[in-house]
Amino acid sequence: MGHWLDRNIIEPGKLPLLLALAAFVLTFLVTRSITRLIRAGKGPFRNVSAGGLHIHHAVPGVVLTVIGGFGAVAGGRHGLGASVSAVVFGIGAGLVLDEFALILHLDDVYWTEEGRKSVEAVVLTAALVGLLLAGFAPFGVNDLSAQELQGRGAALTSVAVNFLFSLVSLSKGKTRTALYGVVVPLIALVGAVRLARPGSPWARRFYRCRPRARARSLVRAYRHDRRWSGPGRAVQNWIAGAPDRSAGGR
């Protein structure tokens, strides 16, 4: 284990990234645990207020993210300073993305259906960072040899093709596939060749005069959502708590 850590994490300079990811995930889990206790009225924790104003934890999160980000830029990828900055950045990012839905909607939707977007943002971010730690590079540049990387044309072509696959996936309404495809090109390729989701820009543009393709798209989306929506919501509820049925924040 120690040899693997040295060879794959420490030597390539990925230790700050690993620390940031660990701090990010741990901060999110701890924050959600505390907010669930506050919601249930248990434990010593209470919402933080100043002069009657509710201070959301995204506020200190932004401050920590800024401090950690500038510290990481100044400290490089090695040394104690880089590691500390990575941890500070990870904590700040965890606090901010835990309230991603609030920032997106500019409203306190933490415990509503719209608040699920925060959980989705955290899971997506953790997965993408995990892929980077595993050795994947954006747009498949990691698949090029050292000799190919010396040729700017080959590198730019690879980036352009993989970016195109991700863009097509995004236009087909497959946001997660497009984002994961930025790091793993094969995922974007699969999303690009499969049917678009109903209501996506691609479906509105190319399926208007193709009723058979439009019908297949509707059926496939219905089957996919029926199969995965339930388990997905159950996992989100287990991680972050079930949303309130009534509208409103905390």
Side-chain angles (χ1 to χ4, degrees):
M1 180 63 183
H3 176 70
W4 179 90
L5 185 66
D6 289 337
R7 181 177 181 180
N8 296 281
I9 301 297
I10 297 178
E11 289 182 4
K14 294 182 179 180
L15 181 59
L17 186 60
L18 176 62
L19 293 174
L21 176 60
F24 172 76
V25 174
L26 184 60
T27 299
F28 169 74
L29 294 176
V30 171
T31 302
R32 278 284 166 166
S33 298
I34 293 175
T35 55
R36 292 174 74 172
L37 289 173
I38 295 174
R39 183 190 191 191
K42 300 178 180 179
F45 304 104
R46 295 293 182 270
N47 288 326
V48 179
S49 300
L53 177 65
H54 181 119
I55 306 299
H56 292 279
H57 47 267
V59 175
V62 170
V63 175
L64 292 175
T65 301
V66 171
I67 294 174
F70 279 110
V73 171
R77 295 192 299 173
H78 300 278
L80 180 61
S83 299
V84 172
S85 297
V87 172
V88 172
F89 179 84
I91 294 173
L95 292 173
V96 170
L97 288 189
D98 183 55
E99 294 195 317
F100 171 79
L102 280 74
I103 301 172
L104 179 64
H105 292 277
L106 293 179
D107 192 13
D108 193 350
V109 296
Y110 196 85
W111 292 119
T112 66
E113 284 291 331
E114 291 82 0
R116 291 181 182 273
K117 293 183 177 65
S118 297
V119 183
E120 296 176 0
V122 169
V123 172
L124 182 62
T125 301
L128 289 174
V129 176
L131 288 173
L132 291 175
L133 273 174
F136 292 96
F139 302 116
V141 177
N142 57 297
D143 295 330
L144 300 177
S145 65
Q147 183 177 2
E148 289 174 323
L149 282 173
Q150 291 178 358
R152 294 184 179 181
L156 289 175
T157 300
S158 176
V159 170
V161 171
N162 292 318
F163 178 75
L164 179 62
F165 289 153
S166 295
L167 194 61
V168 171
S169 296
L170 184 63
S171 70
K172 288 189 171 184
K174 304 175 182 181
T175 306
R176 296 185 185 89
T177 301
L179 291 174
Y180 289 132
V182 170
V183 182
V184 185
L186 181 61
I187 296 178
L189 175 60
V190 172
V193 299
R194 291 176 65 86
L195 282 171
R197 288 188 63 86
S200 66
W202 185 281
R204 292 196 301 268
R205 173 66 177 83
F206 295 103
Y207 294 171
R208 285 185 302 175
C209 301
R210 298 173 58 191
R212 183 173 298 180
R214 186 167 61 250
R216 288 173 56 207
S217 174
L218 287 168
V219 171
R220 178 170 292 180
Y222 170 75
R223 291 176 177 174
H224 177 274
D225 294 343
R226 186 179 64 176
R227 177 181 301 174
W228 297 109
S229 292
R233 291 169 67 88
V235 171
Q236 288 183 352
N237 292 343
W238 178 73
I239 294 175
D244 292 331
R245 295 304 176 187
S246 59
R250 281 170 286 182

